[in-house]
Structure formats: structure tokens, C-alpha cells
Amino acid sequence: MAAMPNETRRGHKGSDSSDRLSGPSIFAGAVLMLSGPLSILLGASGIAGDNLFAASQYVYRFDLTAWGWIHIVVGLALVVAGLGVVTNKSWGRGAGIAAAGISLITQFMFVPYYPLWAIPVMALDLLIIFALTRFHGGTNSGW
């Protein structure tokens, strides 16, 4: 019996493990795609001038509309990076790390406005950065 060509064997269970995402990468991509739309909704709430946000004298005090636009832009970056990670694009991992890092910084600056939101999102951003920098490809070492 003749051997099967390489093209037909690639899609089967014996395919190269570097083509697959690790569990932590899938987690990071999913959380990026969850955090992005939530950040967009938070930004829309800020632009609408919601009474939910309040901060007195604060060093990073911006107009609430400015914070709204910042959250919308960061949210869009998180969604695009998350799509890049889960589709295993070459730029996805770097974009995910950068977007999560920017989100971490903006959430830190946003703590006085809405700490019950900003602190958990900061924790998620740290988990995303950890998952994308520590685990790569199909290797599941450690998890």
C-alpha cells in the first residue's frame, strides 16, 4: 500500500503541535475578546455622562468623555488582539500583550472613578499577559 501524501496527513491527529494553541493562549484570547466589548460598553457609558463615575481631586483627572473614548479605543484593540490570538496569527501574541498592557495602565488610572470595575479588570489583564508570555504554541508545560 502506498504512503499517504503529506497534504492529507496534516489535518489528522498526528499533525504538528506547533500549529495548535495551548490552553492558556485560548484562555488569553477568550478573555481579551470578553474584556474588549465590556471596555467598549464602559466607554459608551462614560461618553453618555453616566452618574456611575465620580472622582474628586485626582492627578489623572480627565473629562469623562475623554475617558469614554480611551476605553472605546482600548476595547477595540483588545477585541482585535483577541481575534489574532485565537486565530493563531503571528502578530496576535504581541498585539495581545501590548493591548493588555495598555488596558492595565488605563485601568490603573481609572481606579478612582470606578474601583469595583478597574481592579478586577487589572487582574484579568495580568493573567492575559502572564498566559501570553509564559505559554506558547502547543506545549502545555506547566498546565
Side-chain angles (χ1 to χ4, degrees):
M1 203 172 204
M4 293 175 52
N6 287 339
E7 291 80 30
T8 57
R9 281 190 259 168
R10 286 186 185 161
H12 297 288
K13 289 183 180 180
S15 65
D16 187 15
S17 65
S18 65
D19 293 341
R20 293 180 289 169
L21 287 174
S22 65
S25 293
I26 294 171
F27 165 80
V31 173
L32 280 165
M33 289 192 307
L34 173 70
S35 180
L38 292 175
S39 184
I40 292 169
L41 290 173
L42 181 70
S45 180
I47 291 172
D50 200 344
N51 294 332
L52 184 64
F53 311 111
S56 58
Q57 299 299 337
Y58 182 52
V59 175
Y60 305 114
R61 185 164 172 82
F62 294 138
D63 180 53
L64 198 53
T65 303
W67 273 117
W69 283 109
I70 289 169
H71 281 288
I72 287 176
V73 169
V74 170
L76 289 172
L78 290 168
V79 170
V80 169
L83 288 171
V85 170
V86 297
T87 58
N88 206 13
K89 299 294 183 192
S90 61
W91 52 267
R93 183 172 299 278
I97 293 167
I102 291 169
S103 176
L104 178 67
I105 293 167
T106 58
Q107 293 299 332
F108 175 76
M109 294 169 54
F110 196 69
V111 167
Y113 291 92
Y114 195 17
L116 293 176
W117 172 267
I119 293 171
V121 173
M122 286 170 54
L124 284 177
D125 289 337
L126 287 172
L127 284 173
I128 291 166
I129 293 169
F130 177 74
L132 291 177
T133 56
R134 173 67 175 90
F135 303 98
H136 182 60
T139 60
N140 288 325
S141 60
W143 280 21

